[in-house]
Amino acid sequence: MEQNSIANVESTNPSPAFSFPNIPAPSQSAIDSMYITGSKVLGVIGVIGVGAMGYNHVRIYSELENAHLLAISDMVRGTLDSVSKEFNTVGYVDFDNILQLDDLEAVNICVPTVFHHDVVMSAIEAGKNVLVEKPIASKLDEAQEMIVAANDAGVLLATGHVERFNPA
C-alpha cells in the first residue's frame, strides 16, 4: 500500500535514536496522522503571527495547490489587514478565534519566541496539529511541557527549521 507522507517516518512507532528524560515517544495516533491517504492535500491551515517570518509562511501556503489557507491572526491590526487583503483570507486579531474554527486542521505559529508556549498550548488544547517556528520555546521546561501535551492530546507538534543555521 502506497502512502503519501508529510514526514519520512515508518507507519509503526519507531525506536528513537535518542530520547529526552520524561518525554514519551509520539503516540501511534500522532504518527498515523502524519500520513495522508488519497489525494495529496496538506490540509486546512491557519497562521498565527504574520509579521516577517509569518508573512513568508502565508505567502507559501497561498501558492500551494495542496493546502488551503483558512485564516490568519496577528495582534498588529495594520499588519493583519494588509496581509489578509493581499492573500484574500480571513484575519483575526485574537488567535483564539482561529483555534475555534472546526475545519482548521493545523496551525503554523510564527509569533515571537516568548509567546510560543502559550500559543502552542492553546492550539494543542484545541486539538490542532502545530508547526511552530524555531526555537520551540524560550525555556527547556516549556518545550518539554508542550511535547508531553501534544503527545497526550494525540496531535502533531513540529518545529520549523527553515532557517536552521540562523542563530535566532
Side-chain angles (χ1 to χ4, degrees):
M1 179 170 90
E2 184 177 299
Q3 291 182 314
N4 299 315
S5 66
I6 294 173
N8 185 18
V9 297
E10 295 295 321
S11 63
T12 60
N13 200 344
S15 298
F18 60 91
S19 63
F20 295 98
N22 304 319
I23 298 177
S27 68
Q28 187 61 48
S29 65
I31 291 171
D32 290 344
S33 71
M34 286 187 234
Y35 290 94
I36 301 169
T37 57
S39 65
K40 296 180 179 181
V41 175
L42 277 177
V44 180
I45 300 164
V47 178
I48 300 174
V50 295
M53 184 54 72
Y55 175 88
N56 288 319
H57 288 259
V58 170
R59 180 179 54 80
I60 296 300
Y61 285 130
S62 71
E63 294 172 1
L64 294 174
E65 292 179 16
N66 59 351
H68 174 67
L69 179 64
L70 183 63
I72 63 172
S73 176
D74 200 280
M75 292 175 50
V76 179
R77 177 56 108 175
T79 301
L80 177 65
D81 290 346
S82 173
V83 175
S84 63
K85 182 178 179 180
E86 180 177 349
F87 295 100
N88 194 30
T89 190
V90 178
Y92 297 99
V93 172
D94 185 347
F95 73 86
D96 284 322
N97 291 320
I98 285 183
L99 300 178
Q100 294 172 16
L101 298 173
D102 291 334
D103 292 342
L104 187 74
E105 297 173 291
V107 289
N108 191 328
I109 298 173
C110 303
V111 299
T113 304
V114 296
F115 302 116
H116 283 185
H117 178 263
D118 292 342
V119 179
V120 167
M121 292 301 287
S122 292
I124 291 169
E125 289 168 12
K128 307 303 181 189
N129 295 310
V130 176
L131 172 64
V132 61
E133 269 303 312
K134 77 165 186 83
I136 189 171
S138 55
K139 299 176 186 169
L140 179 60
D141 61 326
E142 289 179 346
Q144 291 172 330
E145 181 183 0
M146 290 161 38
I147 293 166
V148 170
N151 189 58
D152 290 348
V155 298
L156 295 175
L157 172 62
T159 306
H161 289 281
V162 174
E163 293 191 31
R164 62 189 272 190
F165 299 107
N166 179 347

